[in-house]
Amino acid sequence: MLSHLNNFLPRQSSLLMKCNFSKMFCFQCEQTINGKGCTAKGKCGKTAEVSALQDLLIEQLKHLNSVVHHAKENDVKPVTTYSDHFNLEGLFATLTNVNFDEKRFQKYLHKGEKLIETYLKNGGEKLKSVLHENGIQTADFSYSKPLKELIKTGKEFQIDLTEEKRPVTFTKELIMYGLKGGAAYLDHARLLGYEDTSLYHYLSEALQKLSLPVSEFSLESLLEFALQTGNWNLSCMELLNRANTESYGHPEITTVSTTPVDGKCILVSGHDLRDLKLLLEQTDGMGINVYTHGEMLPGNSYPELKKYSHLKGNYGGAWQDQVTEFAKFPGPILMTTNCLVPPPKKYSKRVFTRSSVGYENLKHIEGDDFSELIKVAKKEKGFKNTKKLALKDIIVGFGMNQTLALADLIIDAVKEGAIKHFFLIGGCDGAEKERNYFEKLAEKTPKDTVILTLACGKYRFNKKDLGVIEFKGNKIPRVLDVGQCNDAYSAIQIALALANAFDTDVNSLPLSFAISWFEQKAVSILLTLLHLGIKNIFLGPALPAFIDPSVLDVLVKLFGIRPIGDVDEDLKLMLKN
């Protein structure tokens, strides 16, 4: 097993290099430069200035939740509703390809400072004394400084790559990225009115814990902390699943057109189903067609969304192609969440942002009034002469409820040998050529196997005709689209239900995991899978740069994690299970 990692270990070991971190250092996503870390400008387009503000915001969140922790222990009047929501907003804004706007981060920092000041005011001298005893500053630094000074201060919070501290430092980063992903799920649920104070409490305590110096931790304790975070994220995903399905109904098997129709149009990208619903309501009867993009594709399968006749289908593919696709779209674009690629001037005036998404000079919509965006849609030319187009449709809607409704059929097909193996091929897409692996793997899977897929990685193969499995007069599609990355909970529940049906565990099922990761929500899902004890996950296109070789060694020994390699060789190993 370890020999299979040899090609990847130099990439990990290269993090020992001597870098100039005076500008920035970021390695939280898969596209980081040379697999080491972005040190001048982010590969995502993030500037050194924005990176510094994000680092400072993370530090402020640790500071705030340290204050919250000690305030709770000393019965200080809480302002937890506001601080809990701020934790979600702040963490979400620092995800890869979400917010690039310096001024928005300045506002976050000012908001965080007011929350800290409120706690200090409520706690009085007693709380200040307790904080000082625990080494927590209360007045030494102001987050209300001018933007340039905040950026300068943010650059001081660099990751400590001291060799002897690396395993602990890097594992703390792994946990932080898991928290970021879970916070995004909780924020989506919150906007639909679904909240769980126990999940907020874990997040707050985890941020406080991560504020402690590396000397307070052992690698073993941090790995346990990471798995606990995976368990927490499972609950976050369950809450979001409940929020979405109770608000919009359970996804149904739906054929989605990718061929546009003539008329005015709006494109909705990201993950926030609530924004899609609001926009459909506000454009109903206006003669403006709405199209989904990227991770919003599964929105077409929810009963309370698909009932709108002007939801016409899906346009384009995964996030990394949006510069080309958005330029050609003849209407405004609404970015509800990640993944935003910095827009060039040729279409930036047509892009609107929501929630934690931000980019300098893009129009940001606060509140729930989309009238300004609708006004732009009426002015733009819209689609014309589309009758000659005939693009391939996509079938979606195999969420937990729908797929489990077919469970008896699927189980019988397995028992009688019509289905020999299951693959979960899902996760994030990206521009690297190595991601072709997942497309080739899907194409080479035997015809008597079924592929569960979710997240934007499915765009690698969701328009390909991979056939059906005919069984007792039924046609079972070989590709079952479970939904967004936000719907990983559904995929997990399907796997657990199969295991229960065969009176075994997930690791004993004829089921293989091939996960493509890109950003922090993928990290949180990985931690959840590890918490559940799922082993032998194939991960790619490269291993995370923030996992130290010694930590990787432990994960390999405990869980059999392995980087993707040769498609044919990997497929042989998967089918042995």
Side-chain angles (χ1 to χ4, degrees):
M1 180 69 76
L2 287 174
S3 62
H4 192 66
L5 301 171
N6 287 342
N7 292 332
F8 291 82
L9 289 179
R11 180 171 183 170
Q12 301 291 317
S13 301
S14 63
L15 287 165
L16 291 170
M17 74 236 174
K18 293 182 179 179
C19 291
N20 175 9
F21 301 130
S22 60
K23 292 186 177 180
M24 70 176 288
F25 180 68
C26 180
F27 59 4
Q28 73 171 0
C29 80
E30 195 278 334
Q31 65 183 357
T32 185
I33 301 222
N34 295 324
K36 302 174 183 178
C38 297
T39 57
K41 184 178 181 179
K43 189 77 174 290
C44 62
K46 179 170 63 176
T47 65
E49 290 74 20
V50 169
S51 179
L53 291 168
Q54 289 186 357
D55 289 343
L56 185 57
L57 178 56
I58 292 297
E59 200 64 26
Q60 185 193 57
L61 287 168
K62 294 176 184 176
H63 181 191
L64 167 63
N65 287 282
S66 295
V67 173
V68 171
H69 172 80
H70 290 287
K72 287 179 179 177
E73 288 193 339
N74 289 273
D75 298 322
V76 174
K77 181 182 177 182
V79 285
T80 50
T81 301
Y82 301 104
S83 60
D84 287 335
H85 291 175
F86 181 66
N87 286 338
L88 306 184
E89 294 172 12
L91 289 173
F92 202 163
T94 66
L95 261 70
T96 302
N97 289 76
V98 173
N99 200 320
F100 302 81
D101 192 340
E102 294 177 17
K103 292 182 179 178
R104 290 277 299 283
F105 281 104
Q106 185 179 28
K107 290 180 180 178
Y108 283 129
L109 291 164
H110 289 173
K111 184 175 181 178
E113 180 165 54
K114 289 180 180 179
L115 286 170
I116 293 171
E117 288 174 349
T118 301
Y119 270 105
L120 295 178
K121 181 179 178 182
N122 290 347
E125 293 303 318
K126 179 184 177 182
L127 177 60
K128 290 180 181 179
S129 176
V130 170
L131 293 173
H132 283 302
E133 288 174 6
N134 286 274
I136 301 170
Q137 61 183 6
T138 57
D140 296 338
F141 178 75
S142 171
Y143 292 97
S144 296
K145 290 181 178 181
L147 188 58
K148 287 185 178 180
E149 290 189 44
L150 290 174
I151 292 170
K152 182 179 178 181
T153 303
K155 289 180 179 179
E156 297 175 6
F157 293 104
Q158 296 292 351
I159 298 169
D160 185 357
L161 291 181
T162 307
E163 186 170 357
E164 65 272 15
K165 296 180 180 179
R166 281 163 39 88
V168 171
T169 299
F170 283 31
T171 308
K172 286 180 70 177
E173 288 299 301
L174 173 66
I175 295 166
M176 176 58 77
Y177 302 151
L179 294 175
K180 287 186 180 188
Y185 298 136
L186 288 179
D187 198 49
H188 284 303
R190 174 184 68 86
L191 292 174
L192 289 173
Y194 287 72
E195 302 187 76
D196 185 329
T197 54
S198 68
L199 298 179
Y200 288 163
H201 177 73
Y202 180 91
L203 178 58
S204 178
E205 288 296 306
L207 288 168
Q208 181 272 330
K209 194 171 180 180
L210 289 177
S211 72
L212 302 175
V214 294
S215 58
E216 296 288 324
F217 300 95
S218 66
L219 181 56
E220 292 74 16
S221 67
L222 277 174
L223 287 172
E224 183 180 350
F225 187 3
L227 296 181
Q228 289 171 351
T229 300
N231 183 33
W232 167 79
N233 182 64
L234 180 63
S235 297
C236 295
M237 292 192 296
E238 188 278 331
L239 181 66
L240 177 57
N241 178 270
R242 184 154 48 90
N244 283 335
T245 55
E246 290 183 2
S247 298
Y248 308 120
H250 287 280
E252 302 168 338
I253 299 173
T254 305
T255 299
V256 181
S257 172
T258 66
T259 304
V261 298
D262 289 358
K264 303 293 184 179
C265 53
I266 295 172
L267 187 63
V268 186
S269 192
H271 304 74
D272 197 322
L273 298 178
R274 178 176 180 272
D275 278 347
L276 178 58
K277 178 67 158 60
L278 288 170
L279 186 61
L280 288 168
E281 289 175 342
Q282 294 177 35
T283 53
D284 195 15
M286 287 189 173
I288 298 173
N289 297 320
V290 176
Y291 298 86
T292 59
H293 173 269
E295 287 273 51
M296 198 61 80
L297 166 63
N300 291 276
S301 66
Y302 286 84
E304 288 301 308
L305 300 176
K306 63 187 288 187
K307 71 180 183 181
Y308 291 92
S309 61
H310 61 299
L311 178 59
K312 293 298 185 182
N314 193 70
Y315 171 90
W319 67 274
Q320 74 275 3
D321 296 324
Q322 66 184 247
V323 172
T324 301
E325 294 172 349
F326 285 6
K328 294 178 180 179
F329 187 79
I333 299 125
L334 179 64
M335 287 299 307
T336 65
T337 58
N338 57 319
C339 303
L340 173 68
V341 173
K345 290 182 179 180
K346 59 185 175 183
Y347 66 77
S348 61
K349 290 184 178 180
R350 293 189 283 114
V351 179
F352 291 75
T353 61
R354 284 282 283 167
S355 185
S356 295
V357 189
Y359 196 85
E360 186 178 11
N361 296 326
L362 293 189
K363 296 173 184 176
H364 187 73
I365 299 176
E366 297 284 1
D368 295 334
D369 183 358
F370 291 100
S371 58
E372 188 176 0
L373 181 147
I374 294 170
K375 186 183 297 184
V376 173
K378 291 178 178 179
K379 290 181 179 179
E380 292 295 324
K381 61 182 180 181
F383 283 108
K384 296 180 180 179
N385 302 317
T386 58
K387 290 184 179 180
K388 59 183 178 181
L389 299 175
L391 304 178
K392 188 171 179 60
D393 295 339
I394 303 172
I395 299 177
V396 301
F398 290 92
M400 174 177 65
N401 196 63
Q402 181 69 85
T403 301
L404 293 183
L406 303 172
D408 289 343
L409 176 65
I410 293 172
I411 291 166
D412 285 347
V414 173
K415 288 180 176 179
E416 296 192 23
I419 297 177
K420 295 282 187 13
H421 202 88
F422 294 89
F423 295 86
L424 197 159
I425 306 176
C428 316
D429 203 3
E432 303 93 334
K433 63 180 182 180
E434 290 85 357
R435 291 182 184 272
N436 291 333
Y437 169 95
F438 299 97
E439 176 183 357
K440 292 177 182 177
L441 178 63
E443 291 175 335
K444 292 189 174 187
T445 54
K447 301 302 181 184
D448 55 3
T449 63
V450 170
I451 299 170
L452 299 171
T453 189
L454 74 162
C456 60
K458 62 179 169 246
Y459 280 106
R460 291 277 168 173
F461 53 86
N462 66 350
K463 292 183 181 179
K464 295 182 180 294
D465 185 5
L466 297 183
V468 297
I469 295 174
E470 296 192 11
F471 178 69
K472 293 184 176 179
N474 297 286
K475 292 184 178 180
I476 303 171
R478 288 199 56 238
V479 178
L480 307 182
D481 186 342
V482 180
Q484 301 179 343
C485 66
N486 291 7
D487 296 313
Y489 179 78
S490 269
I492 291 170
Q493 294 306 309
I494 291 169
L496 292 175
L498 285 172
N500 183 62
F502 289 102
D503 194 24
T504 186
D505 61 18
V506 172
N507 291 315
S508 299
L509 287 172
L511 169 65
S512 300
F513 290 78
I515 307 295
S516 54
W517 85 281
F518 173 73
E519 43 89 286
Q520 296 75 60
K521 283 190 280 185
V523 173
S524 63
I525 293 170
L526 177 62
L527 292 180
T528 295
L529 294 176
L530 298 183
H531 154 72
L532 292 170
I534 294 174
K535 297 182 178 180
N536 303 320
I537 297 170
F538 287 75
L539 185 66
L543 293 173
F546 50 80
I547 294 185
D548 183 80
S550 61
V551 179
L552 177 61
D553 186 24
V554 174
L555 295 178
V556 168
K557 290 177 179 177
L558 290 177
F559 300 103
I561 286 181
R562 58 187 302 136
I564 60 173
D566 177 78
V567 173
D568 293 316
E569 291 300 316
D570 286 354
L571 184 56
K572 289 178 183 177
L573 290 172
M574 293 175 188
L575 290 172
K576 283 182 179 179
N577 181 19

